[in-house]
PDB file of all heavy atoms in Angstrom:
ATOM      1  N   GLN U   1     109.857  32.871 101.483  1.00  0.00           N
ATOM      2  CA  GLN U   1     109.619  33.911 102.648  1.00  0.00           C
ATOM      3  C   GLN U   1     108.986  35.115 101.927  1.00  0.00           C
ATOM      4  O   GLN U   1     109.217  35.479 100.801  1.00  0.00           O
ATOM      5  CB  GLN U   1     110.924  34.300 103.298  1.00  0.00           C
ATOM      6  CG  GLN U   1     111.728  33.123 103.868  1.00  0.00           C
ATOM      7  CD  GLN U   1     110.938  32.410 105.047  1.00  0.00           C
ATOM      8  OE1 GLN U   1     110.370  33.180 105.903  1.00  0.00           O
ATOM      9  NE2 GLN U   1     110.965  31.140 105.179  1.00  0.00           N
ATOM     10  N   LYS U   2     108.135  35.776 102.774  1.00  0.00           N
ATOM     11  CA  LYS U   2     107.531  37.029 102.317  1.00  0.00           C
ATOM     12  C   LYS U   2     108.665  38.023 102.167  1.00  0.00           C
ATOM     13  O   LYS U   2     109.525  38.165 102.916  1.00  0.00           O
ATOM     14  CB  LYS U   2     106.491  37.479 103.316  1.00  0.00           C
ATOM     15  CG  LYS U   2     105.223  36.695 103.253  1.00  0.00           C
ATOM     16  CD  LYS U   2     103.945  37.373 104.010  1.00  0.00           C
ATOM     17  CE  LYS U   2     102.721  36.610 103.732  1.00  0.00           C
ATOM     18  NZ  LYS U   2     101.619  37.253 104.419  1.00  0.00           N
ATOM     19  N   THR U   3     108.386  38.856 101.102  1.00  0.00           N
ATOM     20  CA  THR U   3     109.360  39.912 100.874  1.00  0.00           C
ATOM     21  C   THR U   3     109.159  41.124 101.680  1.00  0.00           C
ATOM     22  O   THR U   3     107.963  41.277 102.212  1.00  0.00           O
ATOM     23  CB  THR U   3     109.371  40.379  99.421  1.00  0.00           C
ATOM     24  OG1 THR U   3     108.110  40.936  99.114  1.00  0.00           O
ATOM     25  CG2 THR U   3     109.588  39.146  98.507  1.00  0.00           C
ATOM     26  N   PRO U   4     110.008  42.151 101.949  1.00  0.00           N
ATOM     27  CA  PRO U   4     109.690  43.273 102.668  1.00  0.00           C
ATOM     28  C   PRO U   4     108.468  44.035 102.132  1.00  0.00           C
ATOM     29  O   PRO U   4     107.719  44.679 102.859  1.00  0.00           O
ATOM     30  CB  PRO U   4     110.976  44.148 102.551  1.00  0.00           C
ATOM     31  CG  PRO U   4     112.017  43.080 102.320  1.00  0.00           C
ATOM     32  CD  PRO U   4     111.449  41.993 101.503  1.00  0.00           C
ATOM     33  N   ASN U   5     108.390  44.108 100.762  1.00  0.00           N
ATOM     34  CA  ASN U   5     107.272  44.728 100.059  1.00  0.00           C
ATOM     35  C   ASN U   5     105.941  44.149 100.484  1.00  0.00           C
ATOM     36  O   ASN U   5     104.898  44.754 100.785  1.00  0.00           O
ATOM     37  CB  ASN U   5     107.437  44.833  98.551  1.00  0.00           C
ATOM     38  CG  ASN U   5     106.444  45.686  97.956  1.00  0.00           C
ATOM     39  OD1 ASN U   5     105.308  45.394  97.860  1.00  0.00           O
ATOM     40  ND2 ASN U   5     106.858  46.830  97.391  1.00  0.00           N
ATOM     41  N   GLU U   6     105.863  42.824 100.509  1.00  0.00           N
ATOM     42  CA  GLU U   6     104.745  42.060 100.900  1.00  0.00           C
ATOM     43  C   GLU U   6     104.304  42.312 102.362  1.00  0.00           C
ATOM     44  O   GLU U   6     103.266  42.541 102.752  1.00  0.00           O
ATOM     45  CB  GLU U   6     104.927  40.615 100.671  1.00  0.00           C
ATOM     46  CG  GLU U   6     104.638  40.150  99.265  1.00  0.00           C
ATOM     47  CD  GLU U   6     104.754  38.650  99.108  1.00  0.00           C
ATOM     48  OE1 GLU U   6     105.914  38.127  99.185  1.00  0.00           O
ATOM     49  OE2 GLU U   6     103.825  37.970  99.139  1.00  0.00           O
ATOM     50  N   ILE U   7     105.452  42.287 103.178  1.00  0.00           N
ATOM     51  CA  ILE U   7     105.219  42.444 104.708  1.00  0.00           C
ATOM     52  C   ILE U   7     104.632  43.959 104.895  1.00  0.00           C
ATOM     53  O   ILE U   7     103.658  44.062 105.626  1.00  0.00           O
ATOM     54  CB  ILE U   7     106.489  42.388 105.512  1.00  0.00           C
ATOM     55  CG1 ILE U   7     106.942  40.885 105.289  1.00  0.00           C
ATOM     56  CG2 ILE U   7     106.311  42.755 106.822  1.00  0.00           C
ATOM     57  CD1 ILE U   7     108.296  40.618 105.927  1.00  0.00           C
ATOM     58  N   ALA U   8     105.096  44.929 104.293  1.00  0.00           N
ATOM     59  CA  ALA U   8     104.749  46.240 104.324  1.00  0.00           C
ATOM     60  C   ALA U   8     103.278  46.395 103.869  1.00  0.00           C
ATOM     61  O   ALA U   8     102.454  47.089 104.545  1.00  0.00           O
ATOM     62  CB  ALA U   8     105.484  47.283 103.516  1.00  0.00           C
ATOM     63  N   LEU U   9     102.960  45.751 102.693  1.00  0.00           N
ATOM     64  CA  LEU U   9     101.583  45.797 102.289  1.00  0.00           C
ATOM     65  C   LEU U   9     100.577  45.116 103.159  1.00  0.00           C
ATOM     66  O   LEU U   9      99.435  45.418 103.368  1.00  0.00           O
ATOM     67  CB  LEU U   9     101.559  45.173 100.873  1.00  0.00           C
ATOM     68  CG  LEU U   9     100.203  45.546 100.023  1.00  0.00           C
ATOM     69  CD1 LEU U   9      99.872  46.877 100.027  1.00  0.00           C
ATOM     70  CD2 LEU U   9     100.408  45.007  98.585  1.00  0.00           C
ATOM     71  N   ASP U  10     101.073  43.964 103.802  1.00  0.00           N
ATOM     72  CA  ASP U  10     100.325  43.128 104.775  1.00  0.00           C
ATOM     73  C   ASP U  10      99.902  44.189 105.908  1.00  0.00           C
ATOM     74  O   ASP U  10      98.810  44.089 106.520  1.00  0.00           O
ATOM     75  CB  ASP U  10     101.030  42.004 105.239  1.00  0.00           C
ATOM     76  CG  ASP U  10     100.735  40.781 104.478  1.00  0.00           C
ATOM     77  OD1 ASP U  10      99.703  40.660 103.831  1.00  0.00           O
ATOM     78  OD2 ASP U  10     101.525  39.851 104.382  1.00  0.00           O
ATOM     79  N   ILE U  11     100.944  44.875 106.489  1.00  0.00           N
ATOM     80  CA  ILE U  11     100.636  45.785 107.619  1.00  0.00           C
ATOM     81  C   ILE U  11      99.665  46.859 107.138  1.00  0.00           C
ATOM     82  O   ILE U  11      98.824  47.206 107.987  1.00  0.00           O
ATOM     83  CB  ILE U  11     101.981  46.395 107.981  1.00  0.00           C
ATOM     84  CG1 ILE U  11     102.990  45.338 108.578  1.00  0.00           C
ATOM     85  CG2 ILE U  11     101.751  47.486 108.972  1.00  0.00           C
ATOM     86  CD1 ILE U  11     104.401  45.749 108.840  1.00  0.00           C
ATOM     87  N   LEU U  12      99.838  47.379 105.952  1.00  0.00           N
ATOM     88  CA  LEU U  12      98.822  48.409 105.464  1.00  0.00           C
ATOM     89  C   LEU U  12      97.415  47.745 105.402  1.00  0.00           C
ATOM     90  O   LEU U  12      96.476  48.522 105.841  1.00  0.00           O
ATOM     91  CB  LEU U  12      99.257  48.912 104.098  1.00  0.00           C
ATOM     92  CG  LEU U  12      98.241  49.831 103.378  1.00  0.00           C
ATOM     93  CD1 LEU U  12      98.053  51.117 104.120  1.00  0.00           C
ATOM     94  CD2 LEU U  12      98.625  50.179 101.910  1.00  0.00           C
ATOM     95  N   LEU U  13      97.272  46.595 104.919  1.00  0.00           N
ATOM     96  CA  LEU U  13      95.924  45.956 104.746  1.00  0.00           C
ATOM     97  C   LEU U  13      95.363  45.674 106.183  1.00  0.00           C
ATOM     98  O   LEU U  13      94.130  45.898 106.345  1.00  0.00           O
ATOM     99  CB  LEU U  13      96.126  44.719 103.956  1.00  0.00           C
ATOM    100  CG  LEU U  13      96.514  44.912 102.503  1.00  0.00           C
ATOM    101  CD1 LEU U  13      96.473  43.578 101.771  1.00  0.00           C
ATOM    102  CD2 LEU U  13      95.530  45.912 101.678  1.00  0.00           C
ATOM    103  N   ALA U  14      96.300  45.292 107.045  1.00  0.00           N
ATOM    104  CA  ALA U  14      95.792  44.998 108.431  1.00  0.00           C
ATOM    105  C   ALA U  14      95.251  46.245 109.076  1.00  0.00           C
ATOM    106  O   ALA U  14      94.200  46.292 109.784  1.00  0.00           O
ATOM    107  CB  ALA U  14      96.903  44.272 109.326  1.00  0.00           C
ATOM    108  N   GLY U  15      96.070  47.309 108.864  1.00  0.00           N
ATOM    109  CA  GLY U  15      95.693  48.633 109.463  1.00  0.00           C
ATOM    110  C   GLY U  15      94.364  49.176 108.842  1.00  0.00           C
ATOM    111  O   GLY U  15      93.478  49.578 109.588  1.00  0.00           O
ATOM    112  N   MET U  16      94.193  49.068 107.625  1.00  0.00           N
ATOM    113  CA  MET U  16      92.932  49.435 106.944  1.00  0.00           C
ATOM    114  C   MET U  16      91.726  48.559 107.447  1.00  0.00           C
ATOM    115  O   MET U  16      90.619  49.129 107.772  1.00  0.00           O
ATOM    116  CB  MET U  16      92.991  49.289 105.485  1.00  0.00           C
ATOM    117  CG  MET U  16      93.965  50.268 104.794  1.00  0.00           C
ATOM    118  SD  MET U  16      94.095  50.153 103.038  1.00  0.00           S
ATOM    119  CE  MET U  16      92.391  50.587 102.566  1.00  0.00           C
ATOM    120  N   THR U  17      91.932  47.316 107.713  1.00  0.00           N
ATOM    121  CA  THR U  17      90.984  46.447 108.224  1.00  0.00           C
ATOM    122  C   THR U  17      90.573  46.874 109.626  1.00  0.00           C
ATOM    123  O   THR U  17      89.355  47.033 109.938  1.00  0.00           O
ATOM    124  CB  THR U  17      91.394  44.986 108.130  1.00  0.00           C
ATOM    125  OG1 THR U  17      91.804  44.626 106.938  1.00  0.00           O
ATOM    126  CG2 THR U  17      90.466  44.073 108.769  1.00  0.00           C
ATOM    127  N   ILE U  18      91.484  47.144 110.440  1.00  0.00           N
ATOM    128  CA  ILE U  18      91.258  47.655 111.807  1.00  0.00           C
ATOM    129  C   ILE U  18      90.413  48.905 111.807  1.00  0.00           C
ATOM    130  O   ILE U  18      89.445  49.114 112.613  1.00  0.00           O
ATOM    131  CB  ILE U  18      92.606  47.812 112.618  1.00  0.00           C
ATOM    132  CG1 ILE U  18      93.166  46.455 112.839  1.00  0.00           C
ATOM    133  CG2 ILE U  18      92.253  48.459 113.924  1.00  0.00           C
ATOM    134  CD1 ILE U  18      94.464  46.490 113.485  1.00  0.00           C
ATOM    135  N   ILE U  19      90.815  49.911 110.950  1.00  0.00           N
ATOM    136  CA  ILE U  19      90.101  51.126 110.807  1.00  0.00           C
ATOM    137  C   ILE U  19      88.666  51.008 110.419  1.00  0.00           C
ATOM    138  O   ILE U  19      87.784  51.541 111.062  1.00  0.00           O
ATOM    139  CB  ILE U  19      90.872  52.159 109.832  1.00  0.00           C
ATOM    140  CG1 ILE U  19      92.221  52.493 110.416  1.00  0.00           C
ATOM    141  CG2 ILE U  19      90.045  53.368 109.493  1.00  0.00           C
ATOM    142  CD1 ILE U  19      93.029  53.227 109.388  1.00  0.00           C
ATOM    143  N   PHE U  20      88.442  50.165 109.453  1.00  0.00           N
ATOM    144  CA  PHE U  20      86.992  49.844 109.052  1.00  0.00           C
ATOM    145  C   PHE U  20      86.304  49.150 109.998  1.00  0.00           C
ATOM    146  O   PHE U  20      85.071  49.305 110.238  1.00  0.00           O
ATOM    147  CB  PHE U  20      87.077  49.150 107.651  1.00  0.00           C
ATOM    148  CG  PHE U  20      87.237  50.140 106.559  1.00  0.00           C
ATOM    149  CD1 PHE U  20      88.364  49.936 105.704  1.00  0.00           C
ATOM    150  CD2 PHE U  20      86.362  51.061 106.192  1.00  0.00           C
ATOM    151  CE1 PHE U  20      88.594  50.804 104.634  1.00  0.00           C
ATOM    152  CE2 PHE U  20      86.626  52.033 105.155  1.00  0.00           C
ATOM    153  CZ  PHE U  20      87.733  51.779 104.333  1.00  0.00           C
ATOM    154  N   LEU U  21      86.894  48.278 110.849  1.00  0.00           N
ATOM    155  CA  LEU U  21      86.259  47.449 111.875  1.00  0.00           C
ATOM    156  C   LEU U  21      85.809  48.479 112.990  1.00  0.00           C
ATOM    157  O   LEU U  21      84.661  48.397 113.441  1.00  0.00           O
ATOM    158  CB  LEU U  21      87.278  46.497 112.445  1.00  0.00           C
ATOM    159  CG  LEU U  21      86.668  45.496 113.470  1.00  0.00           C
ATOM    160  CD1 LEU U  21      85.588  44.598 112.928  1.00  0.00           C
ATOM    161  CD2 LEU U  21      87.847  44.690 113.970  1.00  0.00           C
ATOM    162  N   ILE U  22      86.681  49.401 113.372  1.00  0.00           N
ATOM    163  CA  ILE U  22      86.258  50.349 114.310  1.00  0.00           C
ATOM    164  C   ILE U  22      85.134  51.324 113.783  1.00  0.00           C
ATOM    165  O   ILE U  22      84.119  51.655 114.481  1.00  0.00           O
ATOM    166  CB  ILE U  22      87.474  51.203 114.708  1.00  0.00           C
ATOM    167  CG1 ILE U  22      88.422  50.363 115.392  1.00  0.00           C
ATOM    168  CG2 ILE U  22      87.032  52.480 115.547  1.00  0.00           C
ATOM    169  CD1 ILE U  22      89.850  51.143 115.699  1.00  0.00           C
ATOM    170  N   ALA U  23      85.297  51.675 112.490  1.00  0.00           N
ATOM    171  CA  ALA U  23      84.251  52.513 111.838  1.00  0.00           C
ATOM    172  C   ALA U  23      82.892  51.822 111.824  1.00  0.00           C
ATOM    173  O   ALA U  23      81.825  52.490 112.199  1.00  0.00           O
ATOM    174  CB  ALA U  23      84.652  52.864 110.490  1.00  0.00           C
ATOM    175  N   VAL U  24      82.814  50.579 111.504  1.00  0.00           N
ATOM    176  CA  VAL U  24      81.588  49.857 111.421  1.00  0.00           C
ATOM    177  C   VAL U  24      80.940  49.693 112.755  1.00  0.00           C
ATOM    178  O   VAL U  24      79.792  49.778 113.012  1.00  0.00           O
ATOM    179  CB  VAL U  24      81.762  48.474 110.708  1.00  0.00           C
ATOM    180  CG1 VAL U  24      80.558  47.614 110.866  1.00  0.00           C
ATOM    181  CG2 VAL U  24      82.113  48.662 109.205  1.00  0.00           C
ATOM    182  N   ALA U  25      81.865  49.442 113.803  1.00  0.00           N
ATOM    183  CA  ALA U  25      81.402  49.236 115.191  1.00  0.00           C
ATOM    184  C   ALA U  25      80.757  50.572 115.712  1.00  0.00           C
ATOM    185  O   ALA U  25      79.692  50.539 116.336  1.00  0.00           O
ATOM    186  CB  ALA U  25      82.522  48.820 116.080  1.00  0.00           C
ATOM    187  N   THR U  26      81.357  51.687 115.307  1.00  0.00           N
ATOM    188  CA  THR U  26      80.770  53.018 115.806  1.00  0.00           C
ATOM    189  C   THR U  26      79.392  53.340 115.069  1.00  0.00           C
ATOM    190  O   THR U  26      78.648  54.127 115.659  1.00  0.00           O
ATOM    191  CB  THR U  26      81.726  54.019 115.648  1.00  0.00           C
ATOM    192  OG1 THR U  26      82.114  54.135 114.241  1.00  0.00           O
ATOM    193  CG2 THR U  26      83.082  53.896 116.441  1.00  0.00           C
ATOM    194  N   LEU U  27      79.189  52.653 114.026  1.00  0.00           N
ATOM    195  CA  LEU U  27      77.954  52.974 113.311  1.00  0.00           C
ATOM    196  C   LEU U  27      76.797  52.519 114.052  1.00  0.00           C
ATOM    197  O   LEU U  27      75.582  52.981 113.816  1.00  0.00           O
ATOM    198  CB  LEU U  27      77.978  52.255 111.880  1.00  0.00           C
ATOM    199  CG  LEU U  27      78.866  52.952 110.794  1.00  0.00           C
ATOM    200  CD1 LEU U  27      78.698  52.212 109.500  1.00  0.00           C
ATOM    201  CD2 LEU U  27      78.219  54.415 110.539  1.00  0.00           C
ATOM    202  N   VAL U  28      76.917  51.447 114.906  1.00  0.00           N
ATOM    203  CA  VAL U  28      75.782  50.964 115.702  1.00  0.00           C
ATOM    204  C   VAL U  28      75.291  52.025 116.581  1.00  0.00           C
ATOM    205  O   VAL U  28      73.999  52.279 116.547  1.00  0.00           O
ATOM    206  CB  VAL U  28      76.288  49.704 116.489  1.00  0.00           C
ATOM    207  CG1 VAL U  28      75.116  49.176 117.430  1.00  0.00           C
ATOM    208  CG2 VAL U  28      76.747  48.547 115.605  1.00  0.00           C
ATOM    209  N   GLY U  29      76.107  52.729 117.302  1.00  0.00           N
ATOM    210  CA  GLY U  29      75.726  53.797 118.166  1.00  0.00           C
ATOM    211  C   GLY U  29      75.079  54.929 117.368  1.00  0.00           C
ATOM    212  O   GLY U  29      74.095  55.510 117.753  1.00  0.00           O
ATOM    213  N   PHE U  30      75.769  55.275 116.248  1.00  0.00           N
ATOM    214  CA  PHE U  30      75.362  56.443 115.447  1.00  0.00           C
ATOM    215  C   PHE U  30      73.930  56.029 114.889  1.00  0.00           C
ATOM    216  O   PHE U  30      72.925  57.016 114.952  1.00  0.00           O
ATOM    217  CB  PHE U  30      76.296  56.590 114.265  1.00  0.00           C
ATOM    218  CG  PHE U  30      75.851  57.596 113.274  1.00  0.00           C
ATOM    219  CD1 PHE U  30      75.997  59.006 113.548  1.00  0.00           C
ATOM    220  CD2 PHE U  30      75.339  57.324 112.103  1.00  0.00           C
ATOM    221  CE1 PHE U  30      75.596  59.980 112.760  1.00  0.00           C
ATOM    222  CE2 PHE U  30      75.017  58.279 111.171  1.00  0.00           C
ATOM    223  CZ  PHE U  30      75.045  59.595 111.483  1.00  0.00           C
ATOM    224  N   ALA U  31      73.707  54.918 114.487  1.00  0.00           N
ATOM    225  CA  ALA U  31      72.422  54.469 113.893  1.00  0.00           C
ATOM    226  C   ALA U  31      71.310  54.454 114.911  1.00  0.00           C
ATOM    227  O   ALA U  31      70.213  54.810 114.751  1.00  0.00           O
ATOM    228  CB  ALA U  31      72.527  53.162 113.115  1.00  0.00           C
ATOM    229  N   SER U  32      71.711  54.000 116.078  1.00  0.00           N
ATOM    230  CA  SER U  32      70.777  53.994 117.287  1.00  0.00           C
ATOM    231  C   SER U  32      70.206  55.227 117.630  1.00  0.00           C
ATOM    232  O   SER U  32      69.107  55.489 117.948  1.00  0.00           O
ATOM    233  CB  SER U  32      71.401  53.222 118.412  1.00  0.00           C
ATOM    234  OG  SER U  32      71.765  51.860 118.131  1.00  0.00           O
ATOM    235  N   TRP U  33      71.158  56.210 117.577  1.00  0.00           N
ATOM    236  CA  TRP U  33      70.831  57.616 117.898  1.00  0.00           C
ATOM    237  C   TRP U  33      69.830  58.200 116.803  1.00  0.00           C
ATOM    238  O   TRP U  33      68.963  58.941 117.189  1.00  0.00           O
ATOM    239  CB  TRP U  33      72.090  58.429 117.995  1.00  0.00           C
ATOM    240  CG  TRP U  33      71.753  59.899 118.262  1.00  0.00           C
ATOM    241  CD1 TRP U  33      71.373  60.439 119.402  1.00  0.00           C
ATOM    242  CD2 TRP U  33      71.815  60.956 117.248  1.00  0.00           C
ATOM    243  NE1 TRP U  33      71.317  61.855 119.254  1.00  0.00           N
ATOM    244  CE2 TRP U  33      71.531  62.115 117.860  1.00  0.00           C
ATOM    245  CE3 TRP U  33      72.083  60.998 115.863  1.00  0.00           C
ATOM    246  CZ2 TRP U  33      71.493  63.401 117.239  1.00  0.00           C
ATOM    247  CZ3 TRP U  33      72.131  62.209 115.308  1.00  0.00           C
ATOM    248  CH2 TRP U  33      71.817  63.362 115.963  1.00  0.00           C
ATOM    249  N   GLY U  34      70.042  57.808 115.645  1.00  0.00           N
ATOM    250  CA  GLY U  34      69.212  58.346 114.586  1.00  0.00           C
ATOM    251  C   GLY U  34      68.018  57.563 114.228  1.00  0.00           C
ATOM    252  O   GLY U  34      67.108  58.023 113.481  1.00  0.00           O
ATOM    253  N   GLY U  35      67.775  56.368 114.798  1.00  0.00           N
ATOM    254  CA  GLY U  35      66.671  55.526 114.457  1.00  0.00           C
ATOM    255  C   GLY U  35      67.039  54.130 114.692  1.00  0.00           C
ATOM    256  O   GLY U  35      67.801  53.736 115.615  1.00  0.00           O
ATOM    257  N   GLU U  36      66.481  53.181 113.977  1.00  0.00           N
ATOM    258  CA  GLU U  36      66.590  51.754 114.141  1.00  0.00           C
ATOM    259  C   GLU U  36      67.978  51.366 113.751  1.00  0.00           C
ATOM    260  O   GLU U  36      68.355  51.679 112.581  1.00  0.00           O
ATOM    261  CB  GLU U  36      65.475  51.028 113.422  1.00  0.00           C
ATOM    262  CG  GLU U  36      65.706  49.514 113.548  1.00  0.00           C
ATOM    263  CD  GLU U  36      64.572  48.712 112.878  1.00  0.00           C
ATOM    264  OE1 GLU U  36      63.710  49.431 112.210  1.00  0.00           O
ATOM    265  OE2 GLU U  36      64.679  47.510 112.832  1.00  0.00           O
ATOM    266  N   PRO U  37      68.798  50.710 114.558  1.00  0.00           N
ATOM    267  CA  PRO U  37      70.184  50.308 114.123  1.00  0.00           C
ATOM    268  C   PRO U  37      70.112  49.123 113.134  1.00  0.00           C
ATOM    269  O   PRO U  37      69.158  48.424 113.122  1.00  0.00           O
ATOM    270  CB  PRO U  37      70.786  49.784 115.437  1.00  0.00           C
ATOM    271  CG  PRO U  37      69.635  49.380 116.292  1.00  0.00           C
ATOM    272  CD  PRO U  37      68.512  50.327 115.954  1.00  0.00           C
ATOM    273  N   PRO U  38      71.036  49.037 112.244  1.00  0.00           N
ATOM    274  CA  PRO U  38      71.081  48.013 111.273  1.00  0.00           C
ATOM    275  C   PRO U  38      71.339  46.644 111.922  1.00  0.00           C
ATOM    276  O   PRO U  38      71.946  46.647 112.971  1.00  0.00           O
ATOM    277  CB  PRO U  38      72.157  48.427 110.245  1.00  0.00           C
ATOM    278  CG  PRO U  38      73.077  49.278 111.103  1.00  0.00           C
ATOM    279  CD  PRO U  38      72.100  49.994 112.034  1.00  0.00           C
ATOM    280  N   SER U  39      71.019  45.600 111.308  1.00  0.00           N
ATOM    281  CA  SER U  39      71.196  44.147 111.847  1.00  0.00           C
ATOM    282  C   SER U  39      72.752  43.879 111.779  1.00  0.00           C
ATOM    283  O   SER U  39      73.478  44.557 111.042  1.00  0.00           O
ATOM    284  CB  SER U  39      70.393  43.240 111.158  1.00  0.00           C
ATOM    285  OG  SER U  39      70.984  43.145 109.772  1.00  0.00           O
TER     286      SER U  39
END
């Protein structure tokens, strides 16, 4: 079974993944405003 430490770290990694997912998604609009959006 996963230990409490592993579970806590899993939650941290999942949270960081969601944050970067949101950040990358918002870059599309930011780049479109400044010029050609990335692929």
Side-chain angles (χ1 to χ4, degrees):
Q1 301 294 321
K2 286 193 173 184
T3 66
N5 189 288
E6 278 183 282
I7 294 172
L9 194 51
D10 269 338
I11 294 173
L12 173 64
L13 298 181
M16 293 179 66
T17 301
I18 293 172
I19 291 171
F20 281 117
L21 186 60
I22 295 173
V24 170
T26 58
L27 283 177
V28 177
F30 176 75
S32 299
W33 175 77
E36 182 181 354
S39 67

